[in-house]
Amino acid sequence: MKNVFPIFLFSTQMVLAQNIAQKLDAATKNLMESSGAVSSNLSFYVSDENENPIYDYQGNKGLSTASTQKIFTAAAALEVLGKNYTYKTTSAYSGTISNGNLNGNLFLSSTGDPTLGSWRYESYKPENFKQKLIEAVKKSGIKRISGDLIVDDSYFDHQTIPGGWPWDDLGNYYGAGVWGINWRENQFDLNVNGTEFKSFSYPLEGVSWLNDLKAGGSSDQSLIFTAPHSDVALINGTLPSKLVTVSGAVPNPPLQLGVEVKQWLKESGIDFSGKVVTNSKLEIEGKKPPAFPEKNVILTYESPTLDKIVYWFLRKSINMYGETLIKTLAKEKKGNPSFKTGVAYLKEFWKGKGINPAMINFADGSGLSPQNYVSAKAEVQALLYAKKQSWFEVYYEGFPTQDNGIKMKSGTMRDTKSYAGFHTSKEGKKYVFSIIINNYQGSGGAELQKILNVLK
């Protein structure tokens, strides 16, 4: 008699799993037979927490993921770099200081901190960095600077935007690139009333605008176009006839930071009449940038720890964070901070965890590229792997909690909708799932939610 209960429990679990699978199959077929799914593709996979398959509808099929791609990048970063990893921004000077006069240049350099000047973190906002930098300059005895402000943006390579990102995305805040020095998440806000510019969140350095906006409609249907190192920006589309804030990508964040630092120096009574130059600018002009003076460092400013960065990366789906992590992984593990190297390393990492490499055709670290092709089963395998790791709690915390109690990352792009995450049913059963749909005629969000509701 002692073996009866375990057998009964196992049988009950099997019946429950079969029942859920039947319901999921019915909901999935209902979706795929709808009018909007005439030419769509769906990849859907559900497992329990012990890796037992619950439901599989073309789970091996690779589809464009949108932002659920971030689950791969975040997990790899936590494991490889560690949750306490920090980025560093440093300031130093060349030459000598005599009677308060710096006979040389002031330098700023960074290891690509994506949070520098971000508004999301207490004690790390723009004014915090300003205070620390000015204090360091004064503490070193500098009252006047006879040279220039050199913003060393050379930590990463020159390519700031991953190949494959759509041109329509590049100038908008979610299409901000990655630089050796990032500032304010490389984002600016523009307040517009109808078609008239009212104000910027901060003065945008060296940018002239072409305005093709038209007033109309009830929502923001505008697009901003900027390109790295460009001094011309375009905005077009339509905006309501009321005050609206639109957000764009800064075309040259290192230069933007340098110009703001110059203003900080002036406000603090430190005489500076030199130029603000970046390493990239000097190279464009055919000049060799001066070496960063490692012996005269006056400030080392550390970012928030990686666990906090990953939280916001997943919670607010910040694409720029994902691409910074890709370049950081490439730099730390391969010594070559290119997107191509970082994406190849990410694929190598997950292949090493047992995921079929044919199911993880990565193109970037954030999911903004429509050239990402990943299967639902691969996403579930990544989540199941993460669930066993010591850093999982940090990872899990970043997943947004939906109204239906499901903890999941979502992804939205033109003709793409995806969800991946974790859910505990009313019976206490724990599931891991991924669902990706491409080319559905309509949003697809409501239809996919009907399927996920079955898991409740």
Side-chain angles (χ1 to χ4, degrees):
M1 292 292 292
K2 64 180 180 180
N3 293 325
V4 171
F5 181 72
I7 294 173
F8 171 77
L9 180 60
F10 177 75
S11 299
T12 301
Q13 291 173 339
M14 288 292 291
V15 170
L16 179 62
Q18 290 172 356
N19 187 36
I20 292 172
Q22 289 171 355
K23 290 182 178 180
L24 287 172
D25 194 52
T28 300
K29 287 179 177 177
N30 184 58
L31 168 65
M32 298 309 289
E33 291 171 0
S34 66
S35 60
V38 172
S39 60
S40 67
N41 276 316
L42 178 73
S43 184
F44 185 22
Y45 193 83
V46 183
S47 167
D48 67 17
E49 64 176 341
N50 297 316
E51 304 185 22
N52 298 310
I54 298 297
Y55 184 69
D56 183 348
Y57 182 92
Q58 299 188 122
N60 290 341
K61 181 182 283 290
L63 298 179
S64 184
T65 60
S67 282
T68 54
Q69 164 74 7
K70 292 178 171 69
I71 68 175
F72 295 99
T73 306
L78 284 169
E79 175 145 326
V80 174
L81 303 174
K83 67 178 184 179
N84 294 318
Y85 181 90
T86 58
Y87 293 88
K88 295 177 177 61
T89 299
T90 53
S91 180
Y93 65 88
S94 62
T96 59
I97 301 172
S98 177
N99 296 322
N101 182 57
L102 171 59
N103 296 297
N105 301 318
L106 184 66
F107 288 75
L108 282 174
S109 183
S110 180
T111 57
D113 180 6
T115 72
L116 188 64
S118 172
W119 59 94
R120 302 182 196 276
Y121 308 84
E122 288 300 322
S123 304
Y124 293 92
K125 299 180 189 295
E127 54 268 28
N128 298 108
F129 180 67
K130 172 184 177 181
Q131 179 186 352
K132 295 289 186 183
L133 179 61
I134 296 301
E135 284 178 355
V137 171
K138 289 183 174 181
K139 188 175 180 180
S140 68
I142 297 173
K143 298 178 181 179
R144 295 178 300 279
I145 300 173
S146 61
D148 296 328
L149 174 60
I150 312 291
V151 184
D152 180 358
D153 56 353
S154 64
Y155 187 75
F156 294 143
D157 65 357
H158 291 112
Q159 185 180 351
T160 65
I161 303 292
W165 277 18
W167 171 235
D168 279 6
D169 292 336
L170 299 194
N172 299 283
Y173 72 95
Y174 54 86
V178 176
W179 303 68
I181 287 188
N182 302 295
W183 178 241
R184 299 180 187 265
E185 296 189 4
N186 303 343
Q187 173 183 327
F188 67 89
D189 296 332
L190 168 60
N191 296 311
V192 187
N193 193 338
T195 63
E196 182 183 356
F197 290 8
K198 289 298 184 180
S199 63
F200 287 83
S201 51
Y202 53 88
L204 200 58
E205 177 61 26
V207 176
S208 300
W209 283 84
L210 292 171
N211 183 354
D212 286 344
L213 281 171
K214 292 180 171 56
S218 59
S219 64
D220 178 1
Q221 297 297 320
S222 66
L223 286 174
I224 296 174
F225 297 86
T226 64
H229 302 287
S230 175
D231 57 1
V232 177
L234 163 68
I235 185 169
N236 64 19
T238 61
L239 285 174
S241 297
K242 62 180 182 180
L243 191 64
V244 175
T245 299
V246 296
S247 299
V250 179
N252 197 331
L255 178 63
Q256 180 67 38
L257 173 58
V259 169
E260 291 189 40
V261 170
K262 179 178 180 179
Q263 182 63 27
W264 299 347
L265 293 169
K266 180 180 178 181
E267 292 170 355
S268 303
I270 299 169
D271 184 27
F272 172 68
S273 56
K275 303 186 299 297
V276 175
V277 293
T278 67
N279 278 33
S280 294
K281 177 65 172 174
L282 291 172
E283 290 184 60
I284 290 169
E285 294 173 351
K287 301 174 184 177
K288 184 178 180 179
F292 186 85
E294 301 286 354
K295 292 184 178 180
N296 294 326
V297 173
I298 61 174
L299 173 68
T300 299
Y301 184 88
E302 289 195 61
S303 73
T305 51
L306 186 64
D307 55 351
K308 297 178 177 63
I309 295 173
V310 165
Y311 172 86
W312 286 111
F313 173 48
L314 293 173
R315 184 59 63 97
K316 290 298 182 181
S317 211
I318 308 168
N319 294 327
M320 188 268 284
Y321 281 18
E323 306 316 325
T324 304
L325 292 173
I326 283 291
K327 286 206 167 194
T328 303
L329 288 169
K331 178 90 171 183
E332 294 280 358
K333 301 305 294 185
K334 299 295 183 179
N336 178 12
S338 70
F339 290 117
K340 184 177 180 180
T341 300
V343 167
Y345 177 77
L346 187 66
K347 184 169 183 176
E348 176 187 314
F349 174 89
W350 286 109
K351 179 183 176 182
K353 308 307 178 187
I355 296 181
N356 185 337
M359 297 194 299
I360 45 172
N361 189 10
F362 300 140
D364 63 18
S366 65
L368 187 57
S369 172
Q371 296 176 12
N372 287 294
Y373 291 101
V374 174
S375 74
K377 184 175 181 180
E379 292 198 332
V380 169
Q381 288 176 314
L383 295 176
L384 287 168
Y385 175 80
K387 207 169 186 301
K388 301 174 186 175
Q389 309 311 311
S390 60
W391 41 262
F392 176 69
E393 185 177 346
V394 168
Y395 182 70
Y396 182 77
E397 181 62 22
F399 283 67
T401 302
Q402 308 302 317
D403 293 339
N404 56 11
I406 293 178
K407 192 88 166 169
M408 69 181 184
K409 183 76 190 76
S410 63
T412 302
M413 205 161 55
R414 180 179 177 180
D415 300 329
T416 294
K417 193 73 179 180
S418 60
Y419 300 130
F422 312 88
H423 183 58
T424 302
S425 72
K426 290 182 292 185
E427 295 79 17
K429 188 73 172 177
K430 294 184 178 181
Y431 299 102
V432 181
F433 65 89
S434 168
I435 183 167
I436 309 167
I437 195 166
N438 286 181
N439 204 35
Y440 186 86
Q441 301 306 299
S443 71
E447 288 76 9
L448 297 188
Q449 280 288 357
K450 291 176 185 176
I451 294 177
L452 294 183
N453 284 343
V454 175
L455 295 177
K456 296 179 67 178

